[in-house]
Amino acid sequence: MVGQPKTLYDVRKIHGAIRLTCAACGTIRDHDLEELIRERSFQRRSLDWQVFVHDAWCWRCSPERTAVTVGIVPFGGNDRELRARRADTLVINLALTVLKDAACRASQHDAATPAVRLALRVLRPFLADRTLLVRFWDEAVGAKANPAHETHFAHGWIVAALITRGHSVWAEFR
């Protein structure tokens, strides 16, 4: 990416965090990018980069709305680490997309497809144990017979476990 990003989604290409530095009190605070996207989307605020920079404020100096410098902090010490983390993030989020799609259509169609099996297998190295993956599979297989199954909950538990383990999960799944 050359120059400033156009939206907060563009910062995903860098795979970094947002650092706010207050000019008045000197407070430096790093924010998780996906949490910022989720929060601003929930509040129906713009994800445009220039609007975000204009809206940024220091949580310590909030009544004065002092000048805050917005920066992007890339994860990883070198390019190799950054590329590896980007690749892991992409694989995790693509697998979660497949699982989310399967969870949405589990009550109408058979969710036990090779794509779901592959997505679960891809996520296995990123989780501490396979319990949540087995739970998702069981819920997805049983959802056609019983629409009250908790396939969406199982997907949410997988997302929560990935976040707890420190993996970057897109805001759409949080």
Side-chain angles (χ1 to χ4, degrees):
M1 182 174 69
V2 178
Q4 292 292 327
K6 292 187 179 24
T7 66
L8 286 176
Y9 288 116
D10 290 343
V11 181
R12 282 182 178 165
K13 296 174 186 172
I14 301 169
H15 193 79
I18 303 294
R19 176 171 287 166
L20 301 178
T21 308
C22 180
C25 66
T27 302
I28 299 173
R29 186 168 182 192
D30 290 342
H31 295 274
D32 181 40
L33 173 65
E34 299 301 328
E35 285 296 321
L36 280 174
I37 291 172
R38 189 179 73 122
E39 177 185 326
R40 290 184 71 88
S41 296
F42 179 76
Q43 296 171 350
R44 297 182 184 266
R45 295 168 68 194
S46 175
L47 296 175
D48 184 65
W49 179 255
Q50 294 301 323
V51 174
F52 172 73
V53 170
H54 182 267
D55 289 349
W57 55 280
C58 178
W59 59 277
R60 279 195 178 168
C61 307
S62 60
E64 294 89 31
R65 294 281 184 169
T66 58
V68 174
T69 305
V70 179
I72 302 170
V73 182
F75 294 131
N78 57 34
D79 286 341
R80 180 179 227 155
E81 291 174 15
L82 189 57
R83 281 194 306 269
R85 182 148 176 153
R86 260 192 234 141
D88 288 348
T89 300
L90 185 62
V91 166
I92 287 170
N93 288 297
L94 287 175
L96 288 173
T97 302
V98 170
L99 295 182
K100 184 71 167 182
D101 180 50
C104 289
R105 62 181 168 73
S107 61
Q108 290 91 14
H109 303 289
D110 186 21
T113 63
V116 173
R117 290 177 57 192
L118 180 61
L120 292 171
R121 188 170 294 258
V122 163
L123 289 176
R124 174 63 186 102
F126 301 106
L127 295 171
D129 61 355
R130 55 182 240 144
T131 308
L132 293 173
L133 302 176
V134 171
R135 177 80 184 262
F136 182 90
W137 181 261
D138 292 341
E139 296 292 337
V141 168
K144 192 161 183 180
N146 182 6
H149 274 248
E150 302 173 340
T151 313
H152 288 287
F153 289 127
H155 182 269
W157 295 328
I158 291 171
V159 169
L162 288 168
I163 292 170
T164 302
R165 291 186 55 89
H167 298 291
S168 182
V169 176
W170 289 342
E172 291 84 4
F173 300 122
R174 294 181 181 219

